[in-house]
């Protein structure tokens, strides 16, 4: 099955494309796009991988579902296109970024510039029905994105994984903590950010670690 995805990622995930679950997943997703409103737009399903090539990947920020409101999702976790209102969780991410690094809150919620620096903005599920959070859980996306995380953990060294919230922490339980830096905190959602996301210092800790490994720190602006 031919999947349009960045070459390095295609090499790492080629085995997944041939597995029965992936064929069933693609048939399910195709049917959903034909019969319902699905986000993100079809050509942006694999945007996280295409925006952050495997060889350039320096870190992962793991989300759960794509946004399920009109015009919000574009294939990058926590990110929205230019001109779309910044969602509450991302507002809190920006607040922590300012407190941690002194970065003023951007007017846009588009995090494409992070992806271009090697930040894989990966959701566990890559598609969702409009206004139905979690509607594509259990269809195969979790297995596929686990394979992507496993490829990074096994094939690369000195990456940073940001696991915000219990869902991300469970999903990232198998990441090799000896080879990589794994930072965990409560989710940046308004419901939980005050329980430890604020003050976590993950952005400065990421850059300190990358610099200590002779890697280029992330410009979070």
């Amino acid at each position: 099955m031919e999947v349009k995805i960045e070459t390095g990622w295609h090499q790492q995930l080629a085995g997944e494309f041939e597995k029965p679950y992936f064929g069933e997943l693609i048939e399910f997703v195709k049917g959903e796009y034909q019969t319902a409103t699905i986000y993100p737009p079809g050509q942006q399903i694999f945007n996280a991988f295409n925006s952050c090539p495997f060889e350039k990947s320096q870190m992962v920020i793991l989300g759960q579902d794509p946004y399920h409101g009109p015009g919000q999702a574009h294939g990058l976790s926590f990110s929205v296109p230019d001109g779309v209102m910044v969602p509450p969780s991302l507002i809190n991410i920006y607040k922590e970024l300012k407190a941690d690094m002194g970065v003023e809150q951007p007017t846009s919620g588009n995090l494409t510039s992070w992806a271009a620096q090697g930040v894989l903005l990966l959701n566990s599920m890559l598609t969702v029905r409009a206004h139905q959070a979690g509607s594509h859980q259990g269809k195969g996306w979790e297995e596929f994105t686990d394979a992507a995380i496993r490829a990074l953990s096994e094939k690369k060294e000195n990456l940073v994984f940001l696991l915000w919230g219990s869902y991300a922490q469970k999903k990232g339980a198998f990441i090799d903590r000896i080879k990589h830096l794994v930072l965990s905190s409560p989710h940046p959602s308004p419901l939980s950010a005050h329980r430890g996301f604020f003050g976590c210092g993950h952005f400065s800790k990421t850059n300190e670690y990358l610099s200590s490994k002779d890697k280029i720190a992330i410009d979070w602006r």
Side-chain angles (χ1 to χ4, degrees):
M1 179 176 297
E2 186 62 31
V3 176
K4 293 182 179 179
I5 193 171
E6 187 269 330
T7 302
W9 279 111
H10 197 285
Q11 292 172 349
Q12 296 298 324
L13 299 172
E16 301 302 308
F17 303 144
E18 303 305 322
K19 292 180 179 179
Y21 88 86
F22 193 80
E24 293 169 5
L25 169 64
I26 293 303
E27 289 306 309
F28 165 77
V29 170
K30 285 180 179 178
E32 286 285 278
Y33 275 96
Q34 291 170 359
T35 57
T37 300
I38 305 299
Y39 301 126
Q43 69 272 21
Q44 294 180 335
I45 291 174
F46 297 103
N47 196 21
F49 301 100
N50 294 329
S51 299
C52 180
F54 182 82
E55 292 302 324
K56 285 190 62 177
S57 298
Q58 296 202 85
M59 65 173 299
V60 179
I61 299 180
L62 187 60
Q64 187 168 353
D65 255 348
Y67 293 121
H68 52 78
Q72 291 181 305
H74 65 144
L76 305 177
S77 63
F78 295 102
S79 179
V80 293
D82 292 326
V84 174
M85 184 180 296
V86 180
S89 291
L90 184 52
I91 288 175
N92 286 340
I93 290 170
Y94 283 162
K95 286 179 179 177
E96 173 59 20
L97 186 54
K98 182 176 181 181
D100 185 22
M101 301 282 291
V103 175
E104 292 296 328
Q105 179 173 325
T107 56
S108 172
N110 191 334
L111 305 180
T112 301
S113 64
W114 295 6
Q117 298 176 74
V119 182
L120 181 67
L121 296 163
L122 182 65
N123 280 315
S124 179
M125 277 71 66
L126 302 189
T127 54
V128 68
R129 274 195 177 205
H131 311 299
Q132 295 182 38
S135 50
H136 285 185
Q137 288 184 10
K139 303 298 183 182
W141 280 132
E142 296 95 331
E143 187 171 347
F144 178 74
T145 51
D146 275 354
I149 296 168
R150 188 170 286 107
L152 289 170
S153 179
E154 294 178 357
K155 302 291 180 60
K156 305 200 74 169
E157 295 183 351
N158 304 326
L159 302 184
V160 181
F161 293 84
L162 302 189
L163 307 181
W164 296 334
S166 58
Y167 181 90
Q169 289 157 26
K170 290 175 184 175
K171 186 173 180 67
F174 61 82
I175 297 167
D176 189 333
R177 264 77 171 167
I178 296 175
K179 292 171 62 181
H180 307 289
L181 176 64
V182 179
L183 299 174
S184 300
S185 80
H187 195 276
S189 160
L191 298 175
S192 56
H194 63 283
R195 298 178 189 152
F197 176 78
F198 291 136
C200 69
H202 282 183
F203 302 101
S204 60
K205 290 174 182 177
T206 292
N207 279 356
E208 288 166 5
Y209 179 81
L210 292 175
S211 296
S212 76
K213 301 300 181 181
D214 295 323
K215 293 188 170 189
I216 299 172
I218 306 297
D219 182 352
W220 297 108
R221 292 173 291 174

